[in-house]
């Protein structure tokens, strides 16, 4: 095992997959010499060259489209969209083309493309650089969506994403790049649709996404000191979503909190709560609680940003309200 | 038109002195029409709908479900909104509708516990999982509410107590050889043992009319026809006694048909008042539960009741030689004020003779 | 460099053989008859959805695809029947796709606007205006990285040239010197918007200079002019010299979709272009050059008429998909 940064886990996954399969290549803004805005591709151009680690012009639609076109014709591109907020410019290629061409062509098209991006708030990036938009992509049939919360998950999930034969939205978190974690030396993959029970508990289930997983674990530790036992689940992928694990946990605890940074309205919390209601209404002792970003654009000033984006304290409060 | 109308708890049956609304069918504020079912009342015999006596809005529900009140109590008021209600409520206003968490409801259901009978400790009286667990843990049998029987049970309890108190019971038992009856059944599959019992009993009642009489308030009434009730269990908690009218005048086939029809209605709790009243004699059969012999309590105002046990194989002496025979114990309970011992014995012996020779049944 | 017409000499330089010229003719007749029949069937309500007819524009795909190999890539548009027929698709399976049957190229899942056959390098007609351009650039990127020698052609209309995706893709292709050819069928209208309200410059090809790539404007109703321009562009691309822009001036006879009366176009304008029908014009040229006599041309028409009827028959008799088939092919 080695203790490495999340950004290193991403880079190692890319490196290993590029060594393994020469069809894998990277494209995006500033990923070559510059090593990527968050240094996730640092050094890769030295090993693989500029053909396979391509700096692109500032053109998200063309980046995404080039990825789609090259994926359809024999290559396995990993396209980086610098901020998930910029996927808006590439939406047609991601949603109307990548997600649908296989279906519309009656199964002819293979589009093994990974769109790597990052999301999240917490460093005053303001409204257009701090969103969490996984719900948009989870909504689209044909797309898979992964959000790793640890270096271990990042590496295992990214390798799976590259080897997947369909389009994958791989969403990292800007404030997790410099988080550390244990990663095995030997190769491993994490399958999609397999949630991780990060912490076992018996009183309340907390399902959290991306960086909120860490907040949930902090909250759980604090609650344990008060004798409250919290089970923390990280779905790791929201499409496909491992609802079975979540429902099983709710069967045990009867109480569910869903936590994500994304805006509360129509976020993944709504989908998870509904699926739990559909499959496990009679396990619930109380209504499902959502601890989410408020329904406002993310503000710039730290005091406001902290108000809008939930943290461990909000999760603790929600858990207590359910008891 | 705008005078509010009081809705009273009606007397359903000559012996009913008190009762309860077992289920409200309409809510306060609902507009109702004359004739709309307003609430249900459970008697010992059936669940009956009580209709709204007038058009208007159900302004007040003055009793809550399963709260026993005397017959004639004002249980609801119908009128137009804003009208003044002259009658003071006879009971506290109904409490807010109970809520229960899905988890608690499921747990209660799994244990056959009616969550509606619990008090909730959650917010706004929510019945929680813990409430259900506590209720299950305390091994007291599930009460309807502390100290209260259901209306149905209450009525039954009173009648049984009164019967035992007022009627000195004598009990006579003998054993009937059922071989002939079994053979008869094999030859006539549409006829059940119960039908044979009913027919035999009807025949005996015709031959011993005093057993078919009733003594009430010092007056003995002899009934010309034998209307025989047979006890039917419905669900966990309910015992109904539909009556086969004039069983003596019916053929075995007619008795079979009547018994089947009434039995089904009883199980569905859909017997009418008529179908459950006017009995002059009752048969109770616990044979299907394996009970060999028991004594029953006479159903007032009747004077006797026949209790039948299970048909079982026994070794008996037949012409001095041991043989295995199917036999059944029969116990007659009779009101000793009306029926003396010898008469009861002859009645029972005649029943046995008929059952041991069913071909002879008229 | 901007919008140079291709002169007669250049046409000859591309040296189309008589066989090729006849093959181009056959393609044009197939496209013409297929489109006519499709319109008839659509108006008779046999075809669900929408139909975007390329009647009048046949010369562009016929001339352009004649310069391509089977293994080269194309992306097409919502008005793509001509492109895919010219690239080699069978009329019967195309018709079946229009009818929404399982025997269609896309098993009935795509319909007219999304016909695809990856075995023929057809990466799909696209329902999003400009949606196919970045994909074509991507295919060109792939070809270059694999050093396969393939080229990638993006067909699009003059309206698509206003899309951001056009700008981004052409620029990227230029920066990376991708083996791409951007073919703009300028039929002068985007739905009801005339080209003069779509751009200030008269020819779309003028933009090519802005990306540093060669651009030509040709008479899109002259299949050999289109062919000539394409041959040159393909040579550039295959030779590793990067992308080119080929603008083909043409006109569509029907409105945006079948059923659109096209009142936004002056009647005389439509009449004028119809009178300059590219098919008889080409037939006259072929006759004059002794490549195809009128009688031989008749035979071609008759042959294609039979092909069309067989295609319709095939489509009509083909099975409908099961409703549950809708749930398949979503993920790999």
């Amino acid at each position: 095992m080695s203790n490495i940064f999340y950004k290193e886990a991403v880079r190692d996954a890319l490196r290993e997959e590029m060594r393994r399969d020469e069809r894998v290549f990277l494209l995006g803004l500033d990923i070559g010499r510059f090593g990527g805005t968050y240094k996730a591709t640092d050094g890769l151009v030295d090993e693989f060259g500029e053909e396979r680690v391509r700096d692109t012009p500032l053109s998200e639609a063309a980046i995404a489209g080039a990825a789609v076109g090259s994926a359809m014709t024999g290559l396995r591109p990993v396209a980086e969209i610098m901020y998930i907020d910029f996927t808006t410019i590439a939406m047609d290629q991601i949603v109307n083309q990548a997600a649908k061409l296989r279906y519309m062509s009656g199964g002819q098209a293979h589009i093994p493309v990974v769109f790597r991006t990052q999301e999240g708030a917490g460093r005053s990036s303001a409204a257009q650089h701090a969103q969490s938009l996984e719900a948009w992509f989870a909504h689209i049939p044909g797309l898979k969506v992964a959000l790793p919360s640890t270096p271990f998950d990042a590496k295992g999930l990214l390798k799976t994403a590259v080897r997947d034969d369909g389009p994958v939205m791989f969403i990292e978190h800007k404030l997790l790049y410099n988080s550390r974690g244990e990663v095995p030396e030997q190769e491993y993959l994490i399958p999609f649709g397999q949630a991780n029970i990060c912490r076992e508990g018996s009183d309340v289930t907390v399902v959290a996404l991306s960086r909120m997983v860490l907040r949930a674990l902090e909250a759980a530790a604090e609650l344990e000191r008060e004798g409250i036992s919290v089970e923390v689940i990280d779905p790791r992928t929201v499409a496909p979503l491992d609802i079975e694990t979540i429902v099983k946990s709710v069967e045990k605890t009867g109480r569910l909190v869903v936590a994500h940074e994304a805006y509360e309205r129509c976020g993944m919390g709504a989908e998870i709560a509904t699926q739990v209601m559909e499959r496990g209404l009679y396990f619930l002792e109380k209504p499902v609680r959502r601890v989410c970003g408020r329904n406002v654009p993310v503000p710039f000033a730290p005091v406001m940003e902290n108000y809008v984006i939930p943290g461990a304290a909000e999760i603790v409060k929600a858990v207590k309200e359910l008891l | 038109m705008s005078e509010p109308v009081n809705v009273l708890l009606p007397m359903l049956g000559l012996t009913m002195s008190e009762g309860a609304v077992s289920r409200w069918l309409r809510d306060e504020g609902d507009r109702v029409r004359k004739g709309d079912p307003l609430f249900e009342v459970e008697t010992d015999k059936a669940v009956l709908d009580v209709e709204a006596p007038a058009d208007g809005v159900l302004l007040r529900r003055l009793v809550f479900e399963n709260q026993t009140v005397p017959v004639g109590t004002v249980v609801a008021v119908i009128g137009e909104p804003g009208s003044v209600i002259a009658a003071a409520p006879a009971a506290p206003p109904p409490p807010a509708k109970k809520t229960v968490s899905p988890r608690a409801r499921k747990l209660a259901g799994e244990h056959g516990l009616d969550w509606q009978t619990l008090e909730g400790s959650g917010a706004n009286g929510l019945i929680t999982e813990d409430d259900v667990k506590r209720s299950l843990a305390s091994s007291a049998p599930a009460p309807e509410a502390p100290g209260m029987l259901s209306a149905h049970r209450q009525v039954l309890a009173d009648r049984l107590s009164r019967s035992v108190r007022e009627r000195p019971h004598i009990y006579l038992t003998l054993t009937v050889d059922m071989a002939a009856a079994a053979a008869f059944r094999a030859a006539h599959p549409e006829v059940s043992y119960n039908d044979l019992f009913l027919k035999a009993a009807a025949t005996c009642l015709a031959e011993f009319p005093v057993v078919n009489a009733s003594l009430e308030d010092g007056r003995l009434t002899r009934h010309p026809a034998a209307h025989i009730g047979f006890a039917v269990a419905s669900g966990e908690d309910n015992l109904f006694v539909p009556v086969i009218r004039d069983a003596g005048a019916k053929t075995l086939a007619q008795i079979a048909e009547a018994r089947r029809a009434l039995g089904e209605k009883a199980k569905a709790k859909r017997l009418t008042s008529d179908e459950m009243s006017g009995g002059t004699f009752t048969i109770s059969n616990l044979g299907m539960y394996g009970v060999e012999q028991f004594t029953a309590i006479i159903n007032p105002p009747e004077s006797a009741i026949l209790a039948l046990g299970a048909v079982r194989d026994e070794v008996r002496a037949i012409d001095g030689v041991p043989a295995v025979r199917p036999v059944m114990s029969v116990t007659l309970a009779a009101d000793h004020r009306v029926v003396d011992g010898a008469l009861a014995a002859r009645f029972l012996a005649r029943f046995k003779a008929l059952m041991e020779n069913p071909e002879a049944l008229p | 460099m901007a919008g140079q017409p291709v002169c007669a000499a250049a046409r000859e330089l591309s040296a189309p053989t008589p066989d090729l010229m006849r093959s181009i003719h056959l393609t044009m007749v197939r496209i013409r008859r297929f489109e006519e029949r499709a319109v008839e069937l659509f108006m008779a309500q046999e075809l669900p959805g929408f139909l975007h007819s390329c009647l009048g524009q046949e010369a562009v795909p016929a001339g352009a695809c004649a310069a391509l190999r089977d293994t080269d890539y194309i992306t097409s548009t919502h008005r793509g029947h001509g492109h895919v027929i010219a690239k080699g698709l069978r009329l019967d399976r195309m018709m079946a796709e229009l009818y929404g049957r399982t025997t269609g190229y896309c098993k009935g899942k795509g319909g007219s606007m999304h016909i695809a056959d990856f075995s023929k390098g057809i990466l799909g007609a696209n329902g999003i205006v400009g949606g196919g351009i970045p994909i074509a650039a991507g295919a060109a990127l792939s070809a270059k990285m694999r050093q396969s020698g393939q080229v990638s052609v993006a067909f699009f209309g003059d309206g698509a040239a206003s899309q951001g995706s056009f700008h981004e893709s052409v620029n990227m292709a230029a920066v990376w010197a991708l083996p791409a050819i951007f073919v703009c069928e300028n039929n002068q209208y985007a739905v009801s918007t005339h080209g003069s309200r779509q751009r200030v410059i008269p020819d779309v090809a003028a933009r090519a200079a802005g990306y540093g790539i060669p651009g030509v404007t040709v008479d899109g109703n002259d299949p050999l002019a289109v062919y000539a321009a394409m041959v040159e562009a393909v040579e550039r691309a295959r030779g590793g010299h990067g992308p080119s822009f080929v603008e083909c001036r043409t006109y569509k006879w029907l409105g945006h979709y079948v059923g659109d009366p096209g009142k936004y176009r002056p009647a005389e304008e439509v009449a004028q272009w119809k009178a300059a029908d590219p098919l008889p014009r080409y037939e006259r040229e072929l006759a004059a050059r002794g490549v195809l006599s009128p009688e031989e041309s008749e035979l071609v028409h008759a042959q294609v008429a039979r092909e069309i009827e067989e295609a319709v028959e095939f489509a009509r008799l083909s099975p409908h998909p099961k409703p549950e088939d809708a749930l398949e092919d979503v993920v790999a």
Side-chain angles (χ1 to χ4, degrees):
Chain A
M1 291 287 237
S2 21
N3 189 285
I4 61 173
F5 288 114
Y6 183 104
K7 64 189 173 191
E8 289 169 332
V10 170
R11 188 192 57 201
D12 291 350
L14 294 173
R15 178 190 292 123
E16 285 173 21
E17 292 305 299
M18 289 174 78
R19 283 179 184 168
R20 179 180 174 269
D21 186 343
E22 61 183 13
R23 298 172 298 172
V24 178
F25 74 102
L26 315 179
L27 63 163
L29 302 180
D30 310 299
I31 59 168
R33 206 80 0 246
F34 191 72
T37 319
Y38 290 97
K39 302 297 176 215
T41 52
D42 200 23
L44 293 177
V45 69
D46 295 329
E47 180 173 344
F48 299 101
E50 289 179 346
E51 275 280 296
R52 289 182 74 192
V53 182
R54 288 185 166 254
D55 284 334
T56 63
L58 217 166
S59 312
E60 280 77 13
I63 293 169
V68 172
S70 56
M72 288 206 297
T73 51
L75 298 182
R76 301 188 76 97
V78 179
E80 183 184 294
I81 306 290
M82 197 193 278
Y83 281 73
I84 202 170
D85 318 72
F86 308 161
T87 54
T88 49
I89 301 153
M91 270 313 204
D92 179 67
Q93 289 299 321
I94 298 170
V95 168
N96 287 333
Q97 312 298 338
K100 295 183 172 58
L101 285 174
R102 176 174 176 74
Y103 187 83
M104 291 198 296
S105 66
Q108 291 181 71
H110 284 264
I111 313 175
V113 59
V114 178
F115 297 108
R116 264 191 60 243
T117 187
Q118 54 79 14
E119 68 175 25
R123 59 144 68 124
S124 283
S125 331
Q128 296 173 334
H129 290 71
Q131 292 173 105
S132 296
L133 300 173
E134 62 276 2
W136 280 3
F137 302 102
H139 185 60
I140 304 299
L143 283 183
K144 297 185 180 152
V145 183
L147 308 94
S149 62
T150 62
F152 178 84
D153 288 347
K155 186 173 184 198
L157 289 171
L158 185 50
K159 285 167 75 82
T160 299
V162 173
R163 297 190 199 187
D164 194 295
D165 281 337
V168 177
M169 210 54 210
F170 192 83
I171 307 176
E172 300 151 16
H173 191 293
K174 55 175 68 59
L175 290 192
L176 288 178
Y177 283 118
N178 288 328
S179 66
R180 300 189 78 110
E182 295 292 311
V183 171
E185 300 292 348
Q186 64 276 52
E187 182 170 63
Y188 67 100
L189 296 171
I190 297 175
F192 288 171
Q194 190 189 81
N196 180 31
I197 302 177
C198 315
R199 184 193 171 102
E200 288 193 4
S202 54
D203 293 332
V204 180
T205 303
V206 176
V207 173
L209 297 181
S210 192
R211 190 158 174 256
M212 288 301 279
V213 174
L214 277 67
R215 300 286 89 85
L217 290 169
E218 280 169 31
E222 189 184 316
L223 287 161
E224 186 178 59
R225 289 193 280 278
E226 298 180 42
I228 298 166
S229 166
V230 174
E231 181 148 289
V232 177
I233 298 179
D234 176 3
R236 299 200 284 206
T237 56
V238 292
L241 177 68
D242 179 3
I243 193 66
E244 301 296 326
T245 299
I246 296 172
V247 171
K248 241 174 100 203
S249 177
V250 173
E251 183 174 8
K252 183 170 57 164
T253 65
R255 294 160 169 81
L256 176 63
V257 173
V258 186
H260 55 62
E261 282 188 29
Y263 311 117
E264 184 191 69
R265 187 163 61 228
C266 302
M268 283 307 303
E271 177 68 19
I272 291 169
T274 298
Q275 287 199 31
V276 167
M277 180 277 293
E278 284 171 338
R279 293 160 197 251
L281 174 65
Y282 296 101
F283 302 150
L284 285 170
E285 181 67 6
K286 289 285 182 75
V288 176
R289 278 293 319 274
R290 292 182 290 173
V291 174
C292 305
R294 293 180 196 266
N295 296 318
V296 299
V298 182
F300 164 69
V303 59
M304 286 197 288
E305 188 178 38
N306 289 335
Y307 178 73
V308 156
I309 300 294
E314 283 71 29
I315 297 176
V316 167
K317 184 157 171 286
V319 166
K320 287 183 172 173
E321 282 169 9
L322 290 184
L323 293 170
Chain B
M1 183 53 138
S2 52
E3 274 289 318
V5 173
N6 289 337
V7 184
L8 311 184
L9 185 74
M11 179 149 63
L12 302 164
L14 289 168
T15 54
M16 183 179 166
S17 59
E18 57 187 18
V21 169
S22 54
R23 189 158 76 101
W24 283 104
L25 299 172
R26 305 299 291 271
D27 290 327
E28 283 185 3
D30 282 359
R31 186 158 283 280
V32 301
R33 280 193 312 237
K34 181 173 169 181
D36 285 350
L38 204 57
F39 58 87
E40 286 176 354
V41 176
E42 258 191 272
T43 65
D44 59 324
K45 299 180 176 194
V47 177
L48 301 166
D49 285 349
V50 175
E51 297 166 352
D55 291 347
V57 170
L58 177 57
L59 296 174
R60 297 295 301 278
R61 304 196 310 198
L62 297 172
V63 296
F64 45 93
E65 293 177 351
N66 293 322
Q67 178 191 353
T68 303
V69 294
V71 161
T73 303
V74 178
V75 297
V77 183
I78 291 175
E80 288 309 313
S83 49
V84 174
I85 296 168
K97 187 167 155 169
K98 285 192 180 182
T99 53
V100 60
S101 86
R103 195 175 178 90
R105 172 192 276 212
K106 178 174 191 278
L107 185 61
E110 283 166 355
H111 289 87
L113 176 62
D114 182 357
W115 60 267
Q116 310 229 39
T117 64
L118 304 180
E119 291 304 315
S121 66
N124 298 319
L126 177 81
I127 294 162
T128 66
E129 183 187 21
D130 282 345
D131 293 330
V132 174
K133 282 183 176 164
R134 264 194 299 274
S135 174
L136 292 171
S138 71
S139 52
E144 308 289 353
M148 282 169 63
L149 290 180
S150 76
H152 170 84
R153 270 268 100 118
Q154 194 66 54
V155 176
L156 212 55
D158 289 343
R159 287 166 60 81
L160 292 168
S161 305
R162 204 154 56 83
S163 179
V164 170
R165 258 199 322 271
E166 292 170 9
R167 286 161 173 67
H169 284 49
I170 53 165
Y171 302 99
L172 294 82
T173 304
L174 46 65
T175 304
V176 175
D177 186 311
M178 292 295 282
F184 186 90
R185 269 212 72 210
H188 303 89
E190 71 285 1
V191 170
S192 77
Y193 282 133
N194 281 325
D195 301 323
L196 291 174
F197 301 148
L198 284 161
K199 187 64 186 164
T203 309
C204 294
L205 289 168
E207 294 174 14
F208 300 89
V210 79
V211 182
N212 203 44
S214 33
L215 177 66
E216 292 249 82
D217 305 321
R219 290 217 321 274
L220 184 72
T221 311
R222 286 170 187 266
H223 304 287
H227 308 304
I228 306 182
F230 61 102
V232 178
S234 167
E236 293 241 319
D237 212 30
N238 295 299
L239 185 72
F240 296 114
V241 188
V243 173
I244 304 225
R245 304 201 68 76
D246 209 357
K250 288 183 155 67
T251 65
L252 208 48
Q254 287 167 333
I255 286 182
E257 198 189 302
R259 181 196 50 78
R260 211 172 358 256
L262 287 170
E264 271 166 28
K265 279 181 112 177
K267 283 197 162 56
K269 280 180 138 185
R270 287 191 299 114
L271 288 170
T272 68
S273 217
D274 278 349
E275 286 166 340
M276 291 188 288
S277 58
T280 60
F281 185 79
T282 301
I283 295 181
S284 183
N285 188 339
L286 292 180
M288 74 277 268
Y289 301 108
V291 168
E292 289 169 355
Q293 187 262 332
F294 69 106
T295 56
I297 297 174
I298 297 166
N299 221 355
E302 296 165 16
S303 295
I305 181 168
L306 201 61
L308 307 176
V311 176
R312 62 193 192 276
D313 282 337
E314 247 185 29
V315 177
R316 308 209 104 210
I318 304 293
D319 298 327
V321 176
V324 178
R325 308 287 288 183
V327 300
M328 177 182 73
S329 288
V330 180
T331 302
L332 179 72
D335 182 345
H336 210 353
R337 302 171 302 171
V338 174
V339 181
D340 61 31
L343 191 84
R346 294 201 332 261
F347 178 93
L348 200 56
R350 181 63 176 136
F351 182 81
K352 174 181 157 89
L354 286 168
M355 285 307 303
E356 289 178 352
N357 189 12
E359 300 289 344
L361 283 169
Chain C
M1 183 102 105
Q4 304 160 331
V6 173
C7 64
R11 269 166 114 258
E12 293 321 302
L13 276 174
S14 66
T17 62
D19 273 344
L20 186 74
M21 289 193 266
R22 281 190 284 267
S23 158
I24 288 175
H25 173 254
L26 174 59
T27 299
M28 283 181 71
V29 176
R30 281 190 171 134
I31 298 172
R32 172 64 56 93
R33 294 286 162 251
F34 185 93
E35 291 295 84
E36 282 174 346
R37 197 76 180 92
V39 170
E40 269 172 31
L41 293 166
F42 183 83
M43 301 297 273
Q45 308 202 347
E46 276 191 52
L47 307 178
F50 290 103
L51 213 58
H52 301 85
S53 167
C54 68
L55 280 171
Q57 298 184 192
E58 300 84 351
V60 178
C65 291
L68 300 177
R69 297 176 188 159
D70 231 26
T71 50
D72 289 328
Y73 298 115
I74 68 164
T75 61
S76 171
T77 67
H78 55 283
R79 197 178 306 285
H81 298 169
H83 308 134
V84 302
I85 290 174
K87 195 65 173 61
L89 290 197
R90 299 165 54 120
L91 303 181
D92 54 6
R93 290 194 63 197
M94 276 187 65
M95 197 56 87
E97 187 60 32
L98 263 55
Y99 269 85
R101 307 296 169 98
T102 57
T103 49
Y105 275 105
C106 302
K107 302 195 285 202
K109 292 221 164 113
S112 167
M113 287 196 290
H114 306 108
I115 297 189
D117 185 351
F118 281 65
S119 72
K120 289 255 184 316
I122 300 170
L123 304 181
N126 210 297
I128 303 290
V129 174
I133 307 176
I135 293 175
L141 172 63
S142 164
K144 177 164 180 162
M145 289 182 70
R146 287 181 288 108
Q147 295 169 352
S148 65
Q150 293 159 296
V151 303
S152 176
V153 176
F155 285 105
F156 54 95
D158 49 301
S162 296
Q163 283 279 20
S165 56
F166 163 83
H167 166 70
E168 294 191 28
S169 307
V170 178
N171 183 58
M172 180 183 271
V175 168
W176 288 345
L178 299 181
I181 302 151
F182 299 99
V183 179
C184 177
E185 290 169 309
N186 185 348
N187 60 21
Q188 295 159 60
Y189 285 88
V191 190
S192 70
T193 307
H194 186 258
S196 58
R197 294 189 298 141
Q198 187 74 247
R199 70 195 78 87
V200 172
I201 50 177
D203 291 333
V204 184
R207 292 189 175 147
Y211 303 104
I213 66 175
V216 290
T217 305
V218 302
D219 176 359
N221 279 6
D222 176 353
L224 296 183
V226 173
Y227 175 73
M230 278 302 284
V231 162
E232 198 180 322
V234 168
E235 240 175 68
R236 262 183 62 80
R238 253 194 255 291
H241 302 296
S244 313
F245 191 97
V246 178
E247 178 184 12
C248 306
R249 290 193 146 275
T250 181
Y251 201 82
K252 61 182 189 291
W253 290 355
L254 300 184
H256 174 64
Y257 52 85
V258 175
D260 168 19
K263 294 256 175 66
Y264 40 81
R265 305 192 298 182
E268 323 83 65
E269 182 185 270
V270 180
Q272 229 175 319
W273 281 88
K274 274 185 154 168
D277 187 337
L279 185 53
R281 173 180 152 189
Y282 186 54
E283 285 167 346
R284 282 193 295 275
E285 173 168 0
L286 292 182
R289 292 169 77 150
V291 170
L292 188 77
S293 70
E295 294 74 35
E296 285 166 327
S297 181
E298 277 293 310
L299 288 175
V300 172
H301 280 265
Q303 171 201 329
V304 170
R306 272 193 309 274
E307 283 175 9
I308 298 287
E309 282 325 297
E310 277 163 18
V312 175
E313 172 91 355
F314 171 79
R316 281 174 175 160
L317 294 176
S318 286
H320 285 276
K322 296 193 299 299
E324 312 76 68
D325 291 351
L327 301 178
E328 288 165 8
D329 298 318
V330 180
V331 289

